[in-house]
Amino acid sequence: MAVTATPAVFMTTTNPCISSSHKRIMTCTANLSTQSKESSWTRLTSSSHISSRQPLFQSFTSGHVKSRKVITRAMSGADESKPLSGLPIDLRGKRAFIAGVSDDNGYGWAIAKSLAAAGAEILVGTWVPTLNIFESSLRRGKFDESRKLPDGSLMEITKVYPLDAVYDNPEDVPEDVKANKRYSGSSNWTVQEVVEAVKQDFGSLDILVHSLANGPEVSKPLLETSRNGYLAAVSASSYSFVSLLKHFVPIMNPGGASISLTYIASERIIPGYGGGMSSAKAALESDTRVLAFEAGRKHKVRVNTISAGPLRSRAAKAIGFIDMMIDYSSANAPLQKELSAEEVGNAAAFLASPLASAITGAVVYVDNGLNAMGVGVDSPIFENLDIPKGN
């Protein structure tokens, strides 16, 4: 994967200014300017882009320091035949399965795009009740705009598998679910059956992504959560990861990687995030550490989880207070900006790559630093403190 250098990169050296009247040297301020609107997508390119262009090497030349401004330019086109100077995320030849992609605006979709941009082949598992709508939207081009990769090509999804990760095998599926019309027309969608289908279709896997969560009583405080609601949250949001890795890891290539998504409610109180979901996320993080040991020792597969900040996705909107959490994060996080799904996707691409070959059992925070805060600095109690605020 190549990192594309842009011609509009300028480095201005420190400019010594000689004052003839005072016979002294004054150092003027150095400036560094880049295209501020350049997105992090420029660090990731698709496999088609990789194959069509040679890696770029940024060649910097500078002149002698004089009493005038000296400018050093990054030449983007002159040295395209030289090796890339940097650490590109290269997932060419890797195959990824992303469980939990049902639309084009969640973290699962963003992770799939970043992996595709790095060259990986993409398979997705889609919740059975949303399968028809998702596949129809793909066929009709409704997702074409959001499928665009950095080089302008569209992300290709090799195959979409129906999946309900709450059920490990056909024997686990209750009769009322089998008879449910939302499941009619679909088959082989339990975890065991999906893994068998992937093995038959492709033989092996390199990257497993778990982007699944559901809590039927998420709007209830924990003291009002039923046993069934609590266990359902843990089953769908935590054990589903254990089950997926348990079934997939035998066909994962050594050096493979598995990634899940967690949330700060696992370790901090988030009022409104109830129904056992905070417990499910805590279990997911604990399981990440244990699975990292077991899968690492037995299969040489790494296991990490990303603690992502709030995102205005369709699934998150169902909770009912996602806008409030985004506003809170923007007001209190060290980085005062709204988190993008792309930023989480890029972090996942890094964790899935050989660049992260020594990282396993980790909770990686991608939340603008909100996890580091001990208090909400937007509280009136801090109004007399000189706390820096973003523009």
Side-chain angles (χ1 to χ4, degrees):
M1 182 197 61
V3 179
T4 305
T6 59
V9 178
F10 302 97
M11 294 177 61
T12 306
T13 65
T14 302
N15 180 11
C17 302
I18 301 177
S19 172
S20 58
S21 59
H22 296 287
K23 302 296 182 182
R24 58 181 178 148
I25 297 177
M26 299 178 296
T27 302
C28 299
T29 304
N31 298 309
L32 175 65
S33 70
T34 61
Q35 283 187 331
S36 61
K37 294 183 179 180
E38 192 76 21
S39 87
S40 57
W41 272 116
T42 60
R43 296 180 178 85
L44 296 168
T45 53
S46 71
S47 55
S48 60
H49 180 72
I50 295 166
S51 62
S52 63
R53 298 190 53 149
Q54 293 296 320
L56 302 178
F57 176 77
Q58 293 185 339
S59 175
F60 296 93
T61 59
S62 61
H64 297 290
V65 177
K66 299 180 180 179
S67 60
R68 313 186 270 218
K69 182 181 294 184
V70 179
I71 297 177
T72 303
R73 299 176 183 270
M75 308 301 293
S76 65
D79 299 294
E80 291 188 3
S81 61
K82 294 184 179 180
L84 176 69
S85 176
L87 294 172
I89 296 178
D90 188 352
L91 297 176
R92 289 172 293 178
K94 305 296 184 182
R95 182 176 298 113
F97 184 93
I98 300 93
V101 179
S102 294
D103 55 41
D104 65 338
N105 74 341
Y107 284 138
W109 177 271
I111 291 172
K113 280 186 68 176
S114 291
L115 295 177
E121 180 180 13
I122 303 300
L123 314 175
V124 302
T126 300
W127 189 43
V128 182
T130 63
L131 180 67
N132 290 336
I133 295 176
F134 180 71
E135 290 189 315
S136 175
S137 296
L138 277 175
R139 288 194 303 268
R140 296 166 62 184
K142 287 190 174 182
F143 296 155
D144 282 359
E145 185 63 30
S146 58
R147 285 172 60 202
K148 284 185 178 179
L149 297 176
D151 66 345
S153 65
L154 300 183
M155 172 180 66
E156 295 294 335
I157 297 177
T158 302
K159 188 166 183 177
V160 179
Y161 292 87
L163 172 67
D164 192 329
V166 168
Y167 306 106
D168 294 336
N169 52 63
E171 291 73 27
D172 292 341
V173 183
E175 290 300 323
D176 62 323
V177 173
K178 293 178 181 179
N180 192 311
K181 64 180 181 180
R182 296 196 300 172
Y183 287 78
S184 63
S186 296
S187 59
N188 302 322
W189 42 259
T190 65
V191 173
Q192 176 185 311
E193 292 171 305
V194 170
V195 173
E196 289 174 351
V198 171
K199 181 179 180 180
Q200 182 175 351
D201 294 340
F202 300 99
S204 63
L205 192 72
D206 300 284
I207 302 163
L208 172 63
V209 178
H210 176 275
S211 181
L212 297 167
N214 182 50
E217 298 180 16
V218 66
S219 60
K220 291 184 179 181
L222 188 57
L223 281 173
E224 298 176 14
T225 300
S226 69
R227 181 182 296 271
N228 286 338
Y230 184 97
L231 295 177
V234 173
S235 174
S237 309
S238 178
Y239 185 77
S240 58
F241 178 55
V242 177
S243 179
L244 281 167
L245 186 57
K246 171 185 175 181
H247 288 84
F248 265 118
V249 76
I251 67 168
M252 292 184 71
N253 294 315
S258 182
I259 302 165
S260 64
L261 291 167
T262 185
Y263 183 47
I264 193 65
S266 63
E267 53 185 298
R268 299 285 187 271
I269 300 168
I270 306 293
Y273 194 74
M277 282 302 301
S278 58
S279 307
K281 292 302 185 182
L284 182 64
E285 293 179 17
S286 178
D287 292 342
T288 295
R289 292 183 283 271
V290 176
L291 292 171
F293 173 76
E294 296 180 358
R297 287 296 183 97
K298 191 172 182 180
H299 300 280
K300 294 183 173 59
V301 169
R302 295 180 294 109
V303 184
N304 294 294
T305 188
I306 294 175
S307 184
L311 176 72
R312 197 175 282 106
S313 64
R314 291 189 183 95
K317 288 178 182 177
I319 298 175
F321 66 101
I322 187 63
D323 291 333
M324 185 189 310
M325 292 306 301
I326 291 174
D327 291 342
Y328 178 86
S329 179
S330 297
N332 293 286
L335 301 178
Q336 290 189 273
K337 63 181 180 62
E338 186 168 335
L339 182 70
S340 72
E342 174 188 314
E343 291 171 306
V344 173
N346 291 349
F350 162 72
L351 288 174
S353 77
L355 296 181
S357 60
I359 301 176
T360 192
V363 177
V364 178
Y365 296 95
V366 185
D367 62 356
N368 289 325
L370 186 63
N371 71 91
M373 300 301 298
V375 295
V377 295
D378 61 346
S379 171
I381 199 171
F382 299 114
E383 61 185 358
N384 294 325
L385 295 181
D386 185 19
I387 297 176
K389 295 182 179 179
N391 297 325

